[in-house]
Amino acid sequence: MATIGPTSGSGVANSAPGNKQIPTKERTPKERERQTYTLQYQLDRTPLMNFFSVEREHKKAEKAANFAQKKAKLAATASPLKSSKISAKDEQQLPEYVEQTSPGKKKIPRPLENDPYTKAYLPKVVESSWYDWWEQEGVFNPEFSPSGGVKPAGKFVISMPPPNVTGALHCGHALGNALQDLLIRWHRMRGFTTVWVPGCDHAGISTHSVVEKMLCNRHRQTRHDLGRSKFTELVWSWKAEYHEKINRVQKRMGGSMDWSREAFTMDKNSIAAVKETFCRLHEEGFIYRSDRLVSWCTALNTSLSNLEVDNKDLSGRTLLDVPGYKKKVEFGVLTYFKYPVEETMLGDTGIAVHPQDERFKHLVGKSAVHPFLPDRRLPIIADEYVDKEFGTGAVKLTPAHDPNDYNLGKKHNLEFINILTDNGLLNSKAGPIFEGKKRFDARYAVVEELQKLGLFVKKESHPMKVPLCLKSKDIIEPLIKPQWWMRMKELAEPAIAVVRNGEIKIQPEKAEKSYYRWMENIHDWCLSRQLWWGHQIPAYFICLEAEDGDQIDNNLWVTGRTEAEAEDKARNRFPNAKLVLKQDPDCLDTWFSAGLWPLSTLGWPKKTPDFEKLFPTSCLETGWDILFFWIARMIMLSLKLTGKVPFTDVYCHSLIRNSEGRKMSKSLGNVIDPVDIMEGIDLESLHAKLLVGNLDPTEVARATKYQKTAFPQGVPECGADALRFTLISYTTGGGDINFDIKVMHAYRRFCNKICQASRYVLGKLPSGFVPNATVTVTGKESVAERWILHRFNAAAAAMNEALKAREFSKSTQIAVQYIYDELCDVFIENSKAITADGSPEQQLSTLNALYTALEGGLKLIHPMMPFLTEELWQRLPRRSGDSTKSIMIASYPQFDRTLEDLAASQEYDVILGCSKGVRSIIAKYSIKDNGKVYVQCYDAETYKIASCGLTSIKSLSGKGVAAIEILAPTATAPVGCAIFIASSTTTLLDIRGRIQVEKEIQSMKSKLEKAKRVVGDQKKITEQWSDENQRISEAAKAAELTKLQEAEAEWGGQQFFQRQDSASFSAHANYLSEYLQQSANVKQQTENQEETGSSPGRVKQSFQEQPPAERWDSKKRLLNILE
């Protein structure tokens, strides 16, 4: 008894990455200190991760993002920001907003005061009118030099990955568009000749399938009922409708595409490019005709490439849904018969055994008789391919329906018998018993017949792979078909080389590795698709009079860019023959025309000015899932046809999954329309949208259930800017993205914060205010003003570096830190006292700093938030001599050495530290008003800075403080105070009569014990460092040392009562001053070591020397004295 192989029925696709989410509470000065240090670190261009791999960095960014996303969710559910003047309920009660500006005209700004639509950020109000005006002004069009060439800064060109015209855009498209527009706007503002070419893809199989399904659902017709001409007319109508919808959404998102250059993969130029490529490669022998095994989808009635097949792993017996069958079909079983057969046994033409298998050696060379087709003899062959330990060691061969059997059939010259029709029915070669049966129905019929004959033995569960069509989910059938193929090995070699030598950079690193893996194992590409929608293959079969030509005879095929050219070729080949040409009815694989996209969108095969000036393009930003479908093929075809790379930079973003981590799928109903996020939608309307498409009733029920769980209150209005900013913040280059609407709604609050900050600044600028002509430092600025200019300068440097490195998530963190933490929470608060009580000269200086900080911030985030920034920037007065009409073409902030002010940064850090101490101790004891605070400085320099900055400290300390007094290092400290110890000061709060003394002492004891444990734990970490055995970055070590220093400071004395005489306090202050000076020395040594690259072991040693070991005893003595 022999065994056949596993039955197959055929014979043979975070949390939000690393974004710093909107803070739900005020940043502590210590946190600001760390952030300041981090940005300065980047500014100095010191390597952050000398030892960590790129992959580890991605994981680290994603881990940080998980925490940040949770914070954003809390922000979304928390009470509105204090700066907001309008509640969600009030917003719903507002009359429908009607824009007063005529389309294409510059927007008429609404007043900021006494207007319900401008009290707080309303996306529909802010985002109206601007896009029409941008188009009208032509700011999307590229600017060339006076001579007509590219501008001195260079060119930056993106040919947009064309969305399919199969339906509406989804969040995956929105992610790609947000990233591409970020890069386009950033380069445009930096003076590049910038072009973003939009367009759509005809999506042959997808569109063909969707329209056919619609035709069946609505009219109970097939394409054959209409005929090719009528069907393609219907598809063109579908294309026109959805093409318009797609463009409308892209404009709604603010995409700055050059619409005058819009392309389509079946427009006139694309047709010319496809014909030129096919004919040229056919003439050079790269494209050929062959009768080979293809992956056939019976549902779509077309062949597929291997990339369009999903091999589903089954662990054993499994029942699967198959299109066209009411009952589930069994897969994953191994079937035993007295004659080695399985469900494809009707196409068997041989039996194979291992040549060293003693059981069958005597049968090699003989033949077996087919049980249902007695006239068919099955030769028994020997081949080492057979595993003699599998089953009984004898395997039947079906070379016309199995890839492995196909190779053996070629090797041993077996007969190739196709038993299936294109629709999945058995043909006459299956025998009269089974002819006309559906393929999986025939499987059960075969078993029944074998049982009747007494040949059936058993079947058992067996692991296997089932090939599924990615589009229809039908089971793929390997069939022998005459098709057009392209040789790929020779094309792949130079395409691998240009990535290895750096001509093309693919990010992230794992995408580059996948590229090499696939390209080095590439197979020939099946180009033919049995469709009516697409590029009909420009190949013609020569029908000679009185001859029946062989369809796989390459000599009887000619190609032509026109039919006349093809006819000339045919007559030259057969000069005296009577002939007729018949064009191949098949269409080309969609990816063939898509592979020419960067060429054809710029005019190739013609030598147009665009192609001469703008090719190669600069960047391709797309999903990693089409790395092989599209990116690799564009590189291969461009190198072959032009000798140039199609682009120099490839960034593969992650796929978006829903909040539960599941892949977004139309059939699951978890695909989110970007328009619904931008404009909001209630739950009932979400349900109604499910009924408009082609979803099966069971799928509608499943999708409805999901929507109720994910969006119980519907989707809130978030606006285009918040949508874009969130998607950018998700992009770390790591794993897939877990989408959550709460995060997007939280970023709408960030937009509101920017609005309120702008409202404040505009409200302070006097009528007729003209800011300084340039961003310069006069030398008369206050420390706070110098600090904010320094921080803006550092943010500009860090932002440009992040975008250059394609660190998109990091760029959003930089934006939030500068605008939210530094401009809004610090400098604007600091400015209030000066603008109210300062001298005219001080007020003017502060107003200029406010203007520069705000204007610079708006320009900094414009590429991420185009609508909001244009709305606010247009309200700002222009600098003298500045006639820039739109923020889109304003100069992007760059690092300016004259604004760098480390001294001001260090001074203002002291002020921030003082205010942090005040706020912390006020919050600790819940002081709402009349708080009396003292700030004791440890050294004369700190005392001088704090005294000069007293106004700033008061402004930043909150409303609960009535008075603040700065104490010199030698001053007598007041009694009856709670103490908060910081890096260079001690803050004392008069709490006499406000709290319970004994309770506070006990609390202090617990905190000291905890601090002691933390110090011990951190020391263990540092003691485990080994230069030889652990790859730990200097940044990571610095972070651990910082934690240790903070714990030591906490250990030095938590908030406790000052109940001793001044001598006791002075002694403690002197000790702490000495300790903190030592800690500062350690920090400086750490920084010096990182800059010089000295041994990290020295950092550990230096730290262990500081401070003295007996300090814990000193703290215990202090505690005992207090008690």
Side-chain angles (χ1 to χ4, degrees):
M1 181 174 68
T3 308
I4 53 84
T7 62
S8 67
S10 64
V12 195
N14 16 207
S15 144
N19 52 310
K20 174 185 174 185
Q21 305 294 355
I22 298 175
T24 58
K25 62 180 181 180
E26 191 171 26
R27 296 283 189 268
T28 66
K30 193 66 183 179
E31 289 172 328
R32 289 199 183 93
E33 183 179 43
R34 285 200 207 103
Q35 294 161 353
T36 301
Y37 177 73
T38 300
L39 279 182
Q40 187 57 49
Y41 209 75
Q42 296 163 352
L43 189 61
D44 293 340
R45 294 169 173 80
T46 304
L48 286 174
M49 302 299 290
N50 294 332
F51 299 100
F52 280 75
S53 67
V54 173
E55 189 66 26
R56 187 180 298 178
E57 280 300 286
H58 288 159
K59 292 180 179 178
K60 182 179 177 182
E62 290 170 15
K63 185 176 180 180
N66 288 336
F67 176 71
Q69 186 178 16
K70 291 178 181 178
K71 292 175 68 177
K73 289 182 185 179
L74 291 174
T77 56
S79 59
L81 297 173
K82 293 180 180 180
S83 57
S84 178
K85 299 291 196 302
I86 185 171
S87 68
K89 182 178 180 181
D90 292 337
E91 181 180 337
Q92 293 176 356
Q93 294 175 349
L94 283 175
E96 184 67 27
Y97 176 73
V98 179
E99 178 56 59
Q100 301 299 315
T101 308
S102 301
K105 299 296 183 181
K106 188 173 181 178
K107 186 173 181 179
I108 303 170
R110 300 184 72 95
L112 292 178
E113 302 298 331
N114 303 318
D115 189 322
Y117 294 105
T118 58
K119 281 186 176 181
Y121 171 69
L122 295 177
K124 63 174 68 111
V125 177
V126 169
E127 296 171 1
S128 66
S129 291
W130 287 120
Y131 199 92
D132 291 341
W133 180 68
W134 288 333
E135 276 197 281
Q136 184 67 31
E137 292 297 313
V139 290
F140 297 158
N141 302 331
E143 288 187 1
F144 294 93
S145 66
S147 63
V150 170
K151 295 169 70 175
K155 64 178 174 68
F156 188 79
V157 183
I158 295 178
S159 289
M160 173 195 291
N164 294 345
V165 291
T166 50
L169 296 184
H170 52 67
C171 281
H173 296 109
L175 169 61
N177 282 8
L179 295 175
Q180 291 167 60
D181 200 32
L182 165 61
L183 293 174
I184 285 288
R185 289 177 181 268
W186 177 54
H187 280 88
R188 184 185 289 121
M189 295 177 74
R190 292 164 62 221
F192 284 67
T193 295
T194 308
V195 185
W196 188 13
V197 182
C200 285
D201 194 300
H202 68 280
I205 290 179
S206 297
T207 306
H208 198 286
S209 174
V210 168
V211 175
E212 246 194 312
K213 190 172 182 180
M214 178 271 293
L215 192 64
C216 177
N217 289 344
R218 297 182 185 178
H219 306 290
R220 300 301 174 191
Q221 290 181 312
T222 69
R223 57 172 162 150
H224 300 284
D225 294 322
L226 297 184
R228 184 164 189 156
S229 178
K230 292 290 185 182
F231 179 77
T232 52
E233 285 180 14
L234 181 63
V235 182
W236 275 108
S237 299
W238 174 282
K239 177 264 176 189
E241 177 184 350
Y242 282 90
H243 189 174
E244 182 183 356
K245 289 181 179 179
I246 288 169
N247 286 354
R248 189 162 59 245
V249 175
Q250 291 183 140
K251 292 179 179 182
R252 178 67 183 82
M253 281 193 63
S256 57
M257 304 91 171
D258 181 358
W259 293 104
S260 68
R261 287 174 164 81
E262 184 182 9
F264 179 55
T265 53
M266 284 179 63
D267 62 20
K268 184 177 179 180
N269 198 74
S270 182
I271 291 172
V274 166
K275 289 182 176 180
E276 174 65 29
T277 302
F278 190 93
C279 294
R280 187 186 299 187
L281 295 181
H282 178 258
E283 291 162 358
E284 295 179 14
F286 284 92
I287 292 178
Y288 61 94
R289 184 83 169 173
S290 180
D291 197 25
R292 295 173 57 178
L293 204 64
V294 300
S295 297
W296 185 263
C297 176
T298 62
L300 299 177
N301 236 241
T302 184
S303 60
L304 305 171
S305 76
N306 291 337
L307 290 176
E308 294 165 318
V309 177
D310 177 26
N311 289 297
K312 183 180 181 68
D313 286 303
L314 303 181
S315 59
R317 182 178 181 274
T318 307
L319 297 178
L320 298 178
D321 287 312
V322 179
Y325 291 81
K326 294 182 179 179
K327 295 182 179 180
K328 291 180 181 288
V329 179
E330 180 186 61
F331 294 90
V333 293
L334 186 66
T335 310
Y336 293 78
F337 300 96
K338 292 180 180 178
Y339 168 74
V341 293
E342 58 175 320
E343 68 279 3
T344 55
M345 56 93 62
L346 299 175
D348 292 351
T349 60
I351 299 172
V353 298
H354 194 278
Q356 303 304 319
D357 195 330
E358 297 294 337
R359 295 171 296 173
F360 304 116
K361 274 188 175 181
H362 67 288
L363 296 178
V364 175
K366 297 182 180 181
S367 298
V369 178
H370 199 289
F372 300 137
L373 302 166
D375 295 335
R376 186 184 300 175
R377 295 293 187 267
L378 310 180
I380 301 173
I381 63 170
D383 197 286
E384 292 183 352
Y385 166 79
V386 178
D387 180 3
K388 60 183 179 180
E389 303 301 326
F390 178 75
T392 60
V395 183
K396 62 84 199 174
L397 299 177
T398 314
H401 294 286
D402 183 280
N404 296 319
D405 293 358
Y406 175 86
N407 295 328
L408 287 175
K410 287 287 186 181
K411 180 178 179 180
H412 295 282
N413 199 28
L414 298 178
E415 186 178 5
F416 287 71
I417 299 176
N418 178 19
I419 63 168
L420 289 174
T421 69
D422 291 349
N423 296 320
L425 303 179
L426 272 65
N427 61 26
S428 60
K429 293 184 179 180
I433 299 176
F434 308 106
E435 182 178 2
K437 290 185 179 295
K438 296 168 71 173
R439 53 183 170 149
F440 296 124
D441 290 343
R443 171 191 295 182
Y444 300 108
V446 166
V447 172
E448 290 176 3
E449 290 298 320
L450 288 170
Q451 288 173 335
K452 291 178 183 178
L453 296 174
L455 298 176
F456 179 81
V457 177
K458 66 175 182 177
K459 62 181 179 180
E460 62 186 21
S461 182
H462 185 77
M464 66 173 297
K465 291 182 181 292
V466 174
L468 300 176
C469 172
L470 285 175
K471 301 298 180 182
S472 68
K473 304 305 178 185
D474 191 19
I475 306 297
I476 293 299
E477 287 292 348
L479 293 180
I480 299 288
K481 287 281 185 181
Q483 307 277 273
W484 291 100
W485 296 79
M486 184 187 293
R487 293 204 331 264
M488 303 303 293
K489 193 69 176 177
E490 299 93 326
L491 299 178
E493 291 171 357
I496 294 172
V498 294
V499 177
R500 288 202 190 280
N501 65 27
E503 288 184 68
I504 296 177
K505 182 179 181 180
I506 299 178
Q507 295 177 278
E509 184 182 31
K510 63 181 181 181
E512 181 180 342
K513 292 179 180 178
S514 297
Y515 174 84
Y516 291 138
R517 186 168 55 251
W518 184 73
M519 293 288 277
E520 289 166 355
N521 297 280
I522 198 168
H523 300 286
D524 285 3
W525 179 9
C526 177
L527 301 177
S528 300
R529 297 293 180 271
Q530 289 63 46
L531 304 172
W532 291 351
W533 172 247
H535 290 273
Q536 191 171 349
I537 296 175
Y540 300 81
F541 184 71
I542 304 172
C543 301
L544 298 172
E545 186 178 37
E547 291 187 24
D548 292 328
D550 188 348
Q551 288 281 326
I552 62 170
D553 184 353
N554 275 275
N555 194 50
L556 293 178
W557 285 93
V558 291
T559 58
R561 295 155 184 83
T562 63
E563 189 171 352
E565 179 186 339
E567 189 171 346
D568 288 343
K569 288 182 178 179
R571 295 198 182 282
N572 289 334
R573 188 173 298 175
F574 300 99
N576 300 316
K578 292 184 179 181
L579 55 84
V580 175
L581 296 185
K582 184 178 180 181
Q583 186 174 1
D584 190 332
D586 291 349
C587 288
L588 286 166
D589 181 2
T590 295
W591 297 105
F592 190 89
S593 55
L596 302 171
W597 185 249
L599 288 72
S600 63
T601 52
L602 295 178
W604 190 89
K606 298 176 183 177
K607 292 185 177 181
T608 63
D610 273 5
F611 190 75
E612 296 293 325
K613 297 175 184 178
L614 303 176
F615 188 84
T617 64
S618 308
C619 177
L620 175 72
E621 194 290 323
T622 188
W624 63 261
D625 56 325
I626 54 175
L627 180 63
F628 316 127
F629 283 106
W630 192 40
I631 299 172
R633 287 166 175 169
M634 282 190 286
I635 296 173
M636 289 186 283
L637 288 173
S638 179
L639 288 171
K640 176 61 183 173
L641 297 170
T642 71
K644 299 178 181 179
V645 295
F647 30 69
T648 56
D649 184 18
V650 177
Y651 186 89
C652 298
H653 66 244
S654 302
L655 301 184
I656 294 185
R657 299 181 179 274
N658 68 6
S659 57
E660 299 171 350
R662 301 182 68 187
K663 182 179 178 180
M664 284 194 172
S665 166
K666 292 178 181 178
S667 63
L668 293 175
N670 60 4
V671 172
I672 308 300
D673 188 336
V675 175
D676 292 339
I677 298 172
M678 291 186 284
E679 300 180 357
I681 186 172
D682 58 52
L683 184 60
E684 290 184 3
S685 299
L686 277 175
H687 292 340
K689 292 181 73 170
L690 296 173
L691 305 176
V692 177
N694 291 325
L695 287 181
D696 183 90
T698 57
E699 294 171 338
V700 170
R702 186 190 313 152
T704 301
K705 181 179 179 181
Y706 168 78
Q707 289 178 346
K708 288 179 179 178
T709 302
F711 314 109
Q713 306 300 322
V715 178
E717 179 188 7
C718 298
D721 288 324
L723 169 62
R724 289 166 58 113
F725 196 86
T726 306
L727 293 173
I728 295 168
S729 75
Y730 278 150
T731 309
T732 64
D736 289 349
I737 296 166
N738 283 12
F739 168 91
D740 197 325
I741 194 64
K742 294 185 180 68
V743 177
M744 292 196 178
H745 197 240
Y747 275 119
R748 172 179 165 165
R749 298 177 183 276
F750 179 46
C751 294
N752 184 67
K753 187 74 169 179
I754 298 171
C755 283
Q756 300 306 324
S758 301
R759 175 197 292 274
Y760 169 80
V761 174
L762 288 167
K764 293 298 179 182
L765 298 180
S767 177
F769 174 80
V770 178
N772 292 335
T774 58
V775 181
T776 56
V777 178
T778 65
K780 298 180 180 180
E781 290 82 5
S782 67
V783 173
E785 291 158 14
R786 290 161 54 204
W787 176 83
I788 192 61
L789 294 176
H790 172 77
R791 296 311 309 141
F792 163 65
N793 196 41
M799 181 70 82
N800 282 293
E801 287 295 323
L803 294 180
K804 182 179 179 181
R806 304 297 187 256
E807 294 177 327
F808 297 111
S809 180
K810 183 177 179 181
S811 70
T812 62
Q813 296 174 39
I814 294 166
V816 170
Q817 177 179 315
Y818 170 69
I819 293 174
Y820 203 115
D821 298 341
E822 296 169 349
L823 175 57
C824 296
D825 281 2
V826 177
F827 187 65
I828 285 180
E829 292 301 318
N830 190 108
S831 71
K832 291 179 179 179
I834 300 174
T835 56
D837 303 321
S839 68
E841 185 179 33
Q842 290 175 326
Q843 289 180 346
L844 180 60
S845 182
T846 297
L847 291 177
N848 271 295
L850 278 170
Y851 178 91
T852 297
L854 177 61
E855 184 209 32
L858 292 177
K859 291 195 291 187
L860 204 66
I861 63 167
H862 170 74
M864 305 171 184
M865 295 183 167
F867 293 106
L868 177 61
T869 51
E870 185 76 88
E871 174 85 12
L872 299 175
W873 185 84
Q874 290 289 351
R875 294 176 181 271
L876 290 174
R878 297 277 80 81
R879 296 183 185 274
S880 178
D882 182 8
S883 59
T884 307
K885 61 185 176 183
S886 169
I887 193 174
M888 278 185 60
I889 52 178
S891 296
Y892 197 76
Q894 300 293 321
F895 175 73
D896 183 348
R897 186 67 63 183
T898 64
L899 298 181
E900 188 176 22
D901 196 334
L902 296 177
S905 179
Q906 293 169 1
E907 286 184 39
Y908 203 68
D909 282 347
V910 172
I911 293 172
L912 291 177
C914 292
S915 64
K916 181 251 184 173
V918 175
R919 286 196 314 275
S920 297
I921 203 165
I922 288 290
K924 166 67 178 175
Y925 296 101
S926 303
I927 305 300
K928 302 299 182 182
D929 52 31
N930 297 320
K932 176 65 175 176
V933 176
Y934 306 88
V935 178
Q936 178 94 49
C937 301
Y938 300 155
D939 55 68
E941 182 64 24
T942 301
Y943 174 69
K944 178 181 177 182
I945 294 171
S947 298
C948 294
L950 181 57
T951 301
S952 295
I953 296 172
K954 288 180 178 178
S955 295
L956 298 172
S957 295
K959 298 179 180 179
V961 181
I964 299 177
E965 183 178 345
I966 308 299
L967 302 179
T970 58
T972 301
V975 297
C977 292
I979 297 179
F980 179 89
I981 299 174
S983 59
S984 57
T985 60
T986 293
T987 304
L988 302 96
L989 172 66
D990 188 343
I991 52 174
R992 286 172 294 186
R994 291 179 181 257
I995 64 167
Q996 298 177 13
V997 175
E998 294 300 326
K999 181 179 178 182
E1000 197 59 32
I1001 291 178
Q1002 187 59 43
S1003 174
M1004 182 269 294
K1005 284 183 179 180
S1006 299
K1007 290 180 179 179
L1008 287 175
E1009 289 295 335
K1010 181 180 178 182
K1012 180 182 178 181
R1013 290 196 301 271
V1014 173
V1015 169
D1017 292 342
Q1018 288 300 119
K1019 279 190 174 182
K1020 288 179 182 179
I1021 293 174
T1022 61
E1023 289 168 358
Q1024 292 173 358
W1025 290 345
S1026 170
D1027 296 342
E1028 294 79 16
N1029 300 325
Q1030 292 196 29
R1031 294 166 59 90
I1032 302 175
S1033 75
E1034 300 309 315
K1037 290 185 177 182
E1040 295 297 341
L1041 289 174
T1042 299
K1043 291 179 184 178
L1044 184 49
Q1045 291 169 21
E1046 290 172 354
E1048 290 280 4
E1050 182 110 349
W1051 196 11
Q1054 270 290 344
Q1055 300 162 4
F1056 58 90
F1057 294 108
Q1058 175 55 40
R1059 297 168 56 193
Q1060 297 303 304
D1061 57 24
S1062 59
S1064 298
F1065 179 77
S1066 296
H1068 177 69
N1070 290 335
Y1071 160 76
L1072 190 59
S1073 178
E1074 177 186 356
Y1075 160 68
L1076 288 169
Q1077 181 60 48
Q1078 292 169 341
S1079 297
N1081 293 339
V1082 173
K1083 181 176 180 180
Q1084 185 60 50
Q1085 289 173 4
T1086 302
E1087 294 173 354
N1088 293 339
Q1089 179 271 327
E1090 289 169 347
E1091 292 174 357
T1092 60
S1094 60
S1095 170
R1098 177 57 193 158
V1099 179
K1100 171 186 173 184
Q1101 179 182 351
S1102 299
F1103 185 82
Q1104 289 174 335
E1105 295 170 357
Q1106 313 290 344
E1110 54 273 1
R1111 61 179 174 269
W1112 171 239
D1113 293 333
S1114 300
K1115 296 172 182 58
K1116 287 193 293 184
R1117 287 196 298 271
L1118 283 170
L1119 180 59
N1120 292 333
I1121 291 172
L1122 291 174
E1123 293 181 331

